[in-house]
Amino acid sequence: NSCREADEQTVGKDSACRDIVAIGWIGLEGTLILTSDCREELEKRFSASLLSRMDMPLKELSVMRAAEIASAEGAGPMANLSDGGFMAGLWELSKKTSGGLDTDLKKVPLLQETIEITEYFGIIPNIRWNDNFSFIILDLSCKYKHTKVISRS
């Protein structure tokens, strides 16, 4: 997947068997900041091809439009991950739904570029820089089966 493509990823179920959908890419904001601020250092370690994929304005990352669309379609609770990372976001969702969550953390969208660059700097991407990543609860069972609900357009 390209960073610039609209993206959604079902990462699990809440206690009412509704889908937990991830909007955005975990740690991407921080990856873009590191790429911009430390470009010269990163060019010594990574290919120009990898770094060029991180050349985009931060404003393109906003999940606000996707959240607005989902809300208008009757979405359940949402969790912003700007404070505490994705585990804190899942905890927030579980509190909002008064129940448990069944998630597959391998399905949380994380770009290989984010893994490479944050690992180089010793940063854990799922804890920091997640202002443009959210979890939302949707009922995807019937209503959305053939409709793309989440979009950045």
Side-chain angles (χ1 to χ4, degrees), residues 9 11 20-30 61 63-64 67 77-94 96 101 103 105 107-110 124-137:
Q9 179 70 50
V11 295
I20 303 166
V21 176
I23 304 171
W25 297 89
I26 201 86
L28 181 57
E29 179 180 9
L61 299 181
V63 297
M64 292 304 298
M78 298 180 204
N80 184 301
L81 280 67
S82 60
D83 187 29
F86 76 83
M87 295 302 275
L90 290 172
W91 178 257
E92 182 183 332
L93 273 185
S94 72
K96 287 180 177 180
L101 304 174
T103 58
L105 298 181
K107 291 186 175 181
V108 174
L110 175 64
I124 301 170
N126 60 359
I127 295 175
R128 299 182 63 185
W129 295 314
N130 291 301
D131 288 352
N132 293 295
F133 182 86
S134 293
F135 285 122
I136 188 168
I137 293 184

Side-chain angles (χ1 to χ4, degrees), residues 41-52:
E41 180 178 350
L42 290 170
E43 286 174 342
K44 295 174 186 173
R45 170 80 166 103
F46 298 104
S47 69
S49 164
L50 182 140
L51 296 176
S52 70

Side-chain angles (χ1 to χ4, degrees), residues 1-144:
N1 281 348
S2 163
C3 297
R4 297 178 190 268
E5 292 175 0
D7 206 13
E8 65 180 81
Q9 179 70 50
T10 303
V11 295
K13 303 271 185 197
D14 78 344
S15 59
C17 294
R18 296 172 297 184
D19 296 286
I20 303 166
V21 176
I23 304 171
W25 297 89
I26 201 86
L28 181 57
E29 179 180 9
T31 307
L32 298 180
I33 291 169
L34 287 170
T35 303
S36 174
D37 291 353
C38 305
R39 185 74 175 215
E40 194 172 302
E41 180 178 350
L42 290 170
E43 286 174 342
K44 295 174 186 173
R45 170 80 166 103
F46 298 104
S47 69
S49 164
L50 182 140
L51 296 176
S52 70
R53 290 191 297 271
M54 296 294 100
D55 290 334
M56 71 174 71
L58 283 174
K59 67 181 181 178
E60 287 188 25
L61 299 181
S62 177
V63 297
M64 292 304 298
R65 179 71 180 129
E68 289 168 2
I69 292 168
S71 182
E73 293 293 326
M78 298 180 204
N80 184 301
L81 280 67
S82 60
D83 187 29
F86 76 83
M87 295 302 275
L90 290 172
W91 178 257
E92 182 183 332
L93 273 185
S94 72
K95 289 192 315 187
K96 287 180 177 180
T97 61
S98 301
L101 304 174
D102 180 17
T103 58
D104 182 349
L105 298 181
K106 293 177 185 172
K107 291 186 175 181
V108 174
L110 175 64
L111 293 174
Q112 185 63 35
E113 292 87 348
T114 295
I115 294 169
E116 299 288 334
I117 291 170
T118 57
E119 187 175 273
Y120 176 76
F121 287 107
I123 296 169
I124 301 170
N126 60 359
I127 295 175
R128 299 182 63 185
W129 295 314
N130 291 301
D131 288 352
N132 293 295
F133 182 86
S134 293
F135 285 122
I136 188 168
I137 293 184
L138 297 170
D139 180 0
L140 298 178
S141 59
C142 297
K143 186 174 183 181
Y144 305 115

